[in-house]
């Protein structure tokens, strides 16, 4: 089922409840702000949001803090309301009667980092000297307010303080240089986010009968650069780039894993 499908909410109600959480937020009539959220960690720009007083088709337009967002349309009521969010959208070809599931085709899964610091990813952005705004990011999906970011022209201990749009973020310290394309490192991607891994350079050692290649039945590992009696050469491999993966936290619902 992890193929990005659009699933009817009445067809899989337990799965819908598991994948599309609800949380309380405070609306102000005529304004697009939502405050008082328990977290924005699992939200992204463009994510559908539903609830009483929220117009149909509304999405997240920016994430302004760990507890507040801006919507793409102004609320029609004021006060605390229960919102439903859709971490995987409505699904391919879906609508307001469906919800999406992850599309893991061609990906491998990685456990949610949850602050451990192992999950590191690279993104490319444009920096401007003395500015806290990074632009030109391919996608801000998977980033969250508070995530550490480092790289050329970025002061130490800098974090993201706002997700401005699908291609721009604000950081806690101003950049110290202007550059059209800077590789930045972020630590701890969002649950459900897609990304790429780089596997470090490594050897693919061949096996042969012995160190000289003689067929005497003695099996030893081939040295790097050596040639086996079968004509294979062992070489030092370069890094394997762009290995696709998704950050996951296993969920069990309706008797099946998703």
């Amino acid at each position: 089922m992890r193929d990005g499908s659009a699933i009817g909410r009445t067809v899989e109600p337990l799965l819908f409840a598991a994948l599309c959480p609800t949380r309380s937020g405070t609306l102000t009539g005529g304004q697009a702000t939502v405050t008082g959220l328990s977290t924005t960690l699992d939200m992204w720009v463009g994510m559908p949001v539903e609830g009483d007083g929220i117009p149909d088709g509304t999405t997240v337009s920016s994430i302004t803090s760990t507890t507040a967002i801006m919507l793409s349309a102004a609320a029609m009521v004021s006060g605390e309301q229960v919102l439903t969010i859709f971490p995987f959208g409505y699904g391919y070809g879906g609508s307001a009667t469906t919800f999406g599931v992850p599309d893991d085709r061609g990906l491998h899964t990685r456990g949610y980092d949850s602050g451990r610091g192992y999950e590191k990813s690279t993104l490319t952005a444009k920096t401007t000297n003395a500015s806290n705004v990074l632009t030109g990011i391919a996608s801000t999906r998977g980033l969250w307010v508070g995530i550490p970011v480092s790289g050329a022209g970025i002061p130490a201990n800098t974090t993201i303080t706002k997700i401005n749009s699908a291609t721009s973020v604000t950081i806690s310290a101003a950049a110290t240089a202007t550059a059209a394309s800077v590789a930045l490192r972020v630590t701890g991607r969002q649950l459900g986010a897609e990304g790429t891994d780089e596997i470090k350079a490594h050897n693919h050692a061949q096996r042969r009968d012995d160190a000289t290649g003689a067929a005497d039945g003695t099996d030893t590992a081939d040295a790097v650069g050596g040639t086996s009696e079968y004509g294979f050469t062992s070489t030092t491999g370069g890094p394997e780039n762009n290995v696709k993966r998704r950050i996951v936290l296993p969920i069990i619902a309706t008797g099946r894993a998703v």
Side-chain angles (χ1 to χ4, degrees):
M1 185 184 285
R2 301 180 72 101
D3 59 0
S5 295
I7 308 296
R9 302 180 193 182
T10 58
V11 175
E12 293 280 6
L14 295 181
L15 186 57
F16 172 51
L19 291 182
C20 301
T22 60
R23 65 192 52 151
S24 296
T26 301
L27 307 179
T28 301
Q31 297 185 21
T33 57
V34 181
T35 59
L37 296 166
S38 59
T39 182
T40 57
L41 179 62
D42 53 356
M43 306 181 83
W44 44 274
V45 172
M47 171 187 282
V49 179
E50 296 180 0
D52 290 342
I54 296 178
D56 293 344
T58 296
T59 61
V60 175
S61 64
S62 66
I63 301 170
T64 56
S65 75
T66 58
T67 60
I69 60 173
M70 290 287 291
L71 300 175
S72 61
M76 298 181 291
V77 299
S78 295
E80 185 173 303
Q81 301 292 335
V82 176
L83 312 181
T84 301
I85 65 172
F86 295 77
F88 303 101
Y90 290 148
Y92 295 135
S95 66
T97 63
T98 65
F99 65 97
V101 297
D103 185 357
D104 288 349
R105 294 172 297 174
L107 305 180
H108 74 85
T109 57
R110 174 179 289 181
Y112 182 41
D113 188 273
S114 191
R116 197 173 187 187
Y118 288 162
E119 175 59 39
K120 294 180 173 64
S121 302
T122 301
L123 59 86
T124 301
K126 178 181 179 180
T127 60
T128 302
N129 186 40
S131 173
N132 292 65
V133 178
L134 304 180
T135 59
I137 301 171
S139 173
T140 57
R141 185 168 179 175
L143 303 179
W144 42 272
V145 172
I147 192 171
V149 58
S150 61
I154 305 297
N157 302 314
T158 295
T159 60
I160 290 177
T161 59
K162 180 181 178 182
I163 312 294
N164 304 319
S165 70
T167 60
S168 172
V169 300
T170 298
I171 55 177
S172 59
T176 59
T178 297
S181 181
V182 176
L184 304 177
R185 295 284 278 178
V186 293
T187 303
R189 295 299 289 262
Q190 181 189 72
L191 180 64
E194 293 183 17
T196 57
D197 287 335
E198 177 180 302
I199 300 175
K200 293 182 178 180
H202 54 283
N203 297 335
H204 290 275
Q206 305 290 339
R207 303 291 296 186
R208 62 184 181 184
D209 280 343
D210 65 11
T212 62
D216 58 8
T218 303
D219 189 34
T220 59
D222 187 19
V224 173
T227 302
S228 76
E229 62 183 294
Y230 302 106
F232 298 109
T233 300
S234 177
T235 59
T236 301
E240 296 177 15
N241 297 315
N242 300 320
V243 182
K244 304 290 186 181
R245 53 99 174 98
R246 182 189 297 284
I247 312 303
V248 299
L249 182 65
I251 298 173
I252 304 298
T254 65
R256 46 181 150 166
V258 296

